[in-house]
């Protein structure tokens, strides 16, 4: 269950790092750099080592990670105080620096709110969701401490994703009580395919693709007058999950600028249901990660969508997907949380790599790199 946003919830990017040299001089694969929370503290995980970003004594939740800072909220009884924190500097960065740098202090916003189930943040705006899986959810949008919009339901629907746009608007996505996918855009219902069953688990704002040199030249460029200020790329709302008419096996289901679409299943892969659970903005596309089930046995295989084609890995795995990559140096992979030890693994369909020093209370929220994971699930 996830939410995501381009920009702040650029949230969220995963990539395999470069090779590291072991002490004995042999080459050792370096995994992604993860950020998460557990036991009321924020942490960073890299190369099997976990370092805490907040001291003991506070009960804090990580909401998302941007390019230069992370954000979250501290729980104080039944109230929440939102904060930002600068990301730790890399080892060796800065003049004369050696080793890891100390964590930056938390910078708290003014105001307190009832503790949310899910939340998203963009600038001075907040999107708060309460009772997300209760069947009676409600959401609120705030700006600068003033409530802009709110809505409550009592009809059994569930919220799986909630996200703010980088500038204006928001999305709420999930499942209606009758089992149909459900999507709202800035408070307005989006019509879903009639007679379908399924759910939406991903919501994201995707920037338009980078134009190649010479494409889309404007009048100023053609006249030889350079632009003084580069234009912001337009962003578009996207949502994804799975669905199918009637009792048919579920397939990946996407909603975006072209309306509702479904990627075609791979002919050489398992022909069972497809279940995207994490998503991320790519270059003009929404990328996805999740599972594909075998029709006969229900066995799960890692599944990926790079915005153009689906890929199903040969190996098997299961668990809760917390992050993913579709084009890291080591290929596509999932970061998966398990109910028993080993608690977290990296699954690429070829091998299962245990992520050491992550325990049962740890939750992976984001990872840094060139490829974004699905938006982190707000607890």
């Amino acid at each position: 269950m996830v939410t995501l946003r381009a920009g702040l919830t650029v949230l969220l990017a995963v990539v395999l790092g470069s090779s590291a040299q072991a002490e004995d001089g042999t080459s050792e694969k370096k995994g992604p750099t993860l950020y998460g929370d557990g036991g009321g503290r924020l942490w960073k995980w890299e190369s099997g080592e976990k370092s805490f970003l907040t001291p003991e004594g506070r009960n804090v939740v990580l909401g998302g990670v941007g390019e230069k800072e992370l954000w979250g909220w501290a729980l104080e009884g039944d109230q929440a105080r939102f904060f930002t924190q600068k990301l730790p500097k890399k080892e060796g960065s800065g003049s004369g620096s050696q080793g890891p740098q100390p964590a930056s202090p938390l910078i708290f916003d003014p105001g307190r709110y009832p503790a949310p189930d899910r939340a998203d943040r963009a600038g001075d705006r907040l999107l708060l969701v309460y009772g997300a899986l209760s069947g009676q959810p409600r959401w609120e949008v705030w700006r600068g401490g003033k409530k802009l919009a709110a809505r409550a339901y009592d009809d059994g629907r569930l919220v799986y994703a909630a996200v703010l746009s980088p500038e204006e608007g928001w999305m709420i996505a999930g499942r209606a009580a009758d089992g149909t996918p459900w999507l709202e855009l800035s408070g307005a219902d989006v019509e879903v395919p009639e007679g379908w069953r399924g759910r939406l688990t991903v919501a994201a704002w995707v920037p338009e693709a980078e134009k190649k040199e010479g494409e889309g030249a404007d009048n100023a460029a053609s006249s030889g007058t350079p632009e003084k200020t580069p234009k912001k790329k337009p962003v578009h709302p996207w949502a994804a999950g799975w669905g199918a008419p009637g009792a048919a096996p579920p397939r990946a289901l996407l909603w975006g600028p072209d309306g509702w679409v479904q990627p075609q299943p791979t002919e050489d892969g398992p022909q069972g249901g497809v279940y995207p659970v994490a998503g991320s903005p790519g270059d003009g596309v929404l990328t996805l990660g999740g599972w594909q089930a075998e029709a006969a046995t229900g066995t799960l295989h890692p599944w990926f969508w790079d915005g153009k084609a689906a890929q199903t890995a040969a190996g098997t795995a299961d668990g809760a997907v917390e992050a993913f990559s579709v084009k890291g140096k080591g290929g596509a992979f999932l970061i998966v949380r398990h109910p028993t030890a080993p608690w977290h693994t990296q699954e690429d369909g070829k091998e299962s790599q245990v992520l050491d020093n992550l325990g049962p209370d740890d939750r992976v929220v984001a990872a840094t790199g060139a490829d974004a994971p699905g938006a982190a699930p707000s607890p």
Side-chain angles (χ1 to χ4, degrees):
M1 306 167 210
V2 293
T3 119
L4 137 105
R5 175 171 39 75
L8 176 61
T9 344
V10 145
L11 223 148
L12 316 172
V14 177
V15 72
L16 286 175
S18 58
S19 298
Q21 295 296 321
E23 292 183 2
D24 60 0
T26 60
S27 178
E28 181 180 344
K29 183 186 291 185
K30 181 180 179 182
T33 299
L34 308 176
Y35 289 89
D37 58 35
R41 303 178 71 180
L42 306 186
W43 48 257
K44 173 185 177 182
W45 182 97
E46 189 171 24
S47 301
E49 297 296 328
K50 181 172 71 173
S51 56
F52 289 103
L53 304 179
T54 55
E56 293 182 286
R58 282 194 179 276
N59 188 5
V60 293
V61 178
L62 180 57
V65 179
E67 294 181 351
K68 297 182 179 180
E69 65 180 20
L70 56 79
W71 67 272
W73 61 94
L75 296 172
E76 299 176 354
D78 61 352
Q79 298 289 298
R81 296 179 63 198
F82 284 80
F83 63 81
T84 59
Q85 182 186 40
K86 291 183 178 179
L87 289 178
K89 294 181 179 179
K90 295 181 180 180
E91 294 187 18
S93 62
S95 58
S97 62
Q98 293 183 352
Q101 303 300 303
S104 299
L106 304 182
I107 307 299
F108 284 92
D109 298 346
R112 288 175 168 82
Y113 305 84
D117 290 335
R118 300 175 183 273
D120 195 23
R121 173 185 177 135
D124 64 347
R125 292 181 299 136
L126 292 173
L127 172 58
L128 309 177
V129 179
Y130 302 95
L133 303 180
S134 69
Q136 297 179 321
R138 64 184 176 93
W139 53 259
E140 300 174 350
V141 177
W142 294 75
R143 168 178 279 163
K146 296 182 179 180
K147 188 184 295 186
L148 299 181
R151 191 169 181 181
Y153 314 85
D154 60 359
D155 56 4
R157 70 185 69 202
L158 307 177
V159 176
Y160 292 122
V163 61
L164 288 164
S165 77
E167 296 179 354
E168 299 290 342
W170 61 92
M171 277 190 290
I172 311 289
R175 180 184 66 81
D178 61 0
T180 59
W182 164 58
L183 178 64
E184 277 190 15
L185 179 61
S186 300
D189 287 323
V190 176
E191 187 174 349
V192 300
E194 185 176 355
W196 280 52
R197 303 293 181 186
R199 65 182 63 180
L200 298 176
T201 55
V202 173
W205 295 81
V206 180
E208 288 189 358
E210 291 282 0
K211 291 184 178 179
K212 297 179 181 180
E213 187 176 352
E215 289 183 352
D218 58 21
N219 293 334
S222 62
S223 65
T225 304
E227 287 189 66
K228 294 182 179 180
T229 304
K231 294 181 179 179
K232 291 184 179 179
K233 290 192 297 183
V235 295
H236 301 286
W238 285 75
W242 61 84
R251 290 164 48 195
L253 177 64
L254 290 85
W255 176 84
D258 297 326
W260 295 98
V261 296
Q262 282 200 301
Q264 294 299 316
T266 53
E267 296 182 358
D268 57 347
Q271 298 305 304
V274 176
Y275 304 93
V277 292
S280 167
D283 187 16
V285 297
L286 179 65
T287 63
L288 300 169
W291 305 110
Q292 178 156 11
E294 292 185 3
T297 64
T299 301
L300 298 179
H301 303 265
W303 177 92
F304 307 94
W305 170 255
D306 66 3
K308 296 180 180 179
Q311 173 189 344
T312 303
T316 63
D318 58 19
V321 177
E322 294 186 316
F324 76 106
S325 168
V326 296
K327 56 180 181 181
K329 290 183 179 179
F333 63 84
L334 307 175
I335 301 296
V336 179
R337 181 178 180 178
H338 305 278
T340 59
W343 305 106
H344 291 79
T345 61
Q346 179 176 316
E347 307 287 348
D348 61 8
K350 301 174 184 177
E351 60 179 328
S352 177
Q353 301 181 44
V354 175
L355 304 181
D356 294 323
N357 295 317
L358 294 181
D361 296 329
D362 289 318
R363 183 178 66 105
V364 177
V365 173
T368 59
D371 188 35
S378 298

